[in-house]
Amino acid sequence: MQGQALPGFRDFYPDELALRNYIFATWREVARRYGFHEYDGPPLEPLELYTDKSGEEIVQQLYAFEDKGGRKVALRPEMTPTLARMVGAHAQALKKPIRWFSIPQLFRYERQQRGRLREHFQLNMDILGEASPLADAELIAAALDIMRAFGLGPRDVQVRMSDRRVLRTLLLGRGVSEGQLGAAFAAIDKSERDPKDVLAGKLREWGLGKRETDAVFEIAALRGLDAVLTALGKVAGGEEAGEPLRQAVGALAAMGLGEFVAVDLTIVRGLAYYTGIVFELFDTGKSLRAVCGGGRYDGLLKALGGVDLPALGFGMGDVVLGELLKERGPADQASTKLDAFLIAVSGEDVAPLLKLAHELRDRGVAVEYGLRPAVIRKQLELAAARGAPRAIIVGPDERAAGEVVVRDLKAGAEERVPIAKLVQGFFH
Ligand code: HAM
């Protein structure tokens, strides 16, 4: 068939859009509870906004082209650089800490697979102008409360937390050099997916000896805050480096969210700009990709030529979340639900039916009726097919008495209801 959507792009049929709207509404509701304000930016941006700071992986996935004015442009693959630019431009005037959220559609030319498309919507929640680890805990709590609002608990999802400052301190303390840190981060990032000998080979290419390579794997295997703090206790500057992570984990426990949290140093994150605590949210079976990922990016605003503001945030995509909700979330988040279907007994009843339908709609009641003349049986069939809970039958005899018949389409019971009562209070 002609005219299909491009690979990795979605048509949203009403059921799919109902799920999307339910996701967006829940995102907005939790963001509101946390005192975040909504913003947006342009979907098309100057290419250079991404080429320097986002990191190689995302740059390779850009939808980039030259516009008719000869400008190099790209569809936004993420929101963080746009946010950094917007805040940077008005930083003096904005009251700190800035707590903003957005739900942009993003575009990445990726290989299409489960949970990974070429466009997706992503909730972004960010705090700018706050260096305290309570801000890190605040954002992780918001991400977890979104999961809870969808009915998911610690048996369904876990947040895996790490801190690039911790990784850095541990690696330097175990003999890895500054110049080798990037390679060591990459090996730790891939340590759950790639075979150990392949990773060891890559580390050797970067000049890491056996002792340092072993240290990289030992660090990657650390699980839980206590194990990480113990390891930090054995290297220079370790205690200081572990403090933000310790405080953020403590704050989450104080909020009663401790059961969701797993300290796990294999969370490095692909994007280049992260500087501190980083985290990802996964389904506990880890059968899906990360639902959400984020962290602290204290250097990005300055690097983009703006002010020097600490910043942190996360992105939560609608694709993986949608998969998760289809598996375990609350069922049936259907779109529009009809309150009633109106039925005209004869041609004479059509005009009074239209009047009644319009009055009900004015009062916020969702009603429908057949758009062409049909016998009552056909109209009742249509009412059932549209999922209406009741039919309102407008006929000459009842009309003469100022009434209609309301039939419960599930139970089959009927009652005569005065039209005035129907309009004024039956549905509320
Ligand atoms: P990210 O890890 O690239 O982070 O994306 C965050 C989330 O968006 C992922 O966990 C995933 O659920 C979803 N996502 C990403 N790419 C795709 C895709 N191709 N198809 C479907 N879903 C996808 C960022 O983008 C950071 N800018 C987030 C952030 C905000 N960091 C700080 N503030």
Side-chain angles (χ1 to χ4, degrees), residues 4 53 107 135 164 166 187 196 200 204 222 229 247 379:
Q4 284 186 3
K53 301 292 173 289
F107 304 89
R164 286 196 178 180
V166 166
K196 207 167 172 179
R204 217 175 304 122
L222 291 173
L229 294 179
Q247 285 184 27
Q379 295 183 68

Side-chain angles (χ1 to χ4, degrees), residues 86-200:
M86 286 171 63
V87 169
H90 291 278
Q92 306 303 341
L94 295 165
K95 187 113 187 69
K96 321 288 180 300
I98 296 156
R99 301 156 74 97
W100 282 6
F101 81 98
S102 190
I103 307 181
Q105 189 175 23
L106 306 177
F107 304 89
R108 300 182 188 181
Y109 196 84
E110 301 211 52
R111 207 157 45 82
Q112 193 185 333
Q113 45 189 293
R114 188 168 182 221
R116 191 129 293 231
L117 302 174
R118 289 182 176 166
E119 54 75 25
H120 70 284
F121 290 90
Q122 195 187 81
L123 168 70
N124 276 246
M125 288 180 77
D126 292 82
I127 297 178
L128 299 99
E130 185 50 72
S132 159
L134 269 192
D136 300 71
E138 177 91 337
L139 278 177
I140 294 170
L144 291 174
D145 279 348
I146 289 170
M147 295 298 117
R148 293 178 58 239
F150 285 120
L152 302 172
R155 278 200 217 130
D156 304 302
V157 286
Q158 285 277 304
V159 60
R160 297 161 77 194
M161 284 173 72
S162 177
D163 189 330
R164 286 196 178 180
R165 292 164 295 201
V166 166
L167 265 190
R168 201 185 135 77
T169 307
L170 285 174
L171 289 165
L172 292 174
R174 299 286 300 268
V176 176
S177 72
E178 271 296 336
Q180 294 165 336
L181 278 178
F185 274 26
I188 290 173
D189 185 30
K190 296 195 174 73
S191 61
E192 281 198 335
R193 276 163 287 157
D194 292 6
K196 207 167 172 179
D197 52 328
V198 175
L199 295 173

Side-chain angles (χ1 to χ4, degrees), residues 10 58 61 77-81 83 106-110 113 115-126 269-271 273-274 280-281 289-297 312-321:
R10 292 169 288 178
I58 223 167
Q61 297 167 342
E78 59 156 336
M79 197 60 175
T80 313
L83 171 67
L106 306 177
F107 304 89
R108 300 182 188 181
Y109 196 84
E110 301 211 52
Q113 45 189 293
R116 191 129 293 231
L117 302 174
R118 289 182 176 166
E119 54 75 25
H120 70 284
F121 290 90
Q122 195 187 81
L123 168 70
N124 276 246
M125 288 180 77
D126 292 82
R269 306 271 304 135
L271 293 154
Y273 46 64
Y274 292 113
E280 286 185 352
L281 227 111
R289 312 179 58 95
V291 183
C292 157
R296 188 170 269 286
Y297 51 96
L312 64 158
F314 69 78
M316 181 183 292
D318 68 327
V319 183
V320 185
L321 182 58

Side-chain angles (χ1 to χ4, degrees), residues 44 65-73:
L44 196 67
F65 55 96
E66 208 167 276
D67 74 6
K68 287 180 182 166
R71 285 176 214 92
K72 289 191 162 49
V73 295

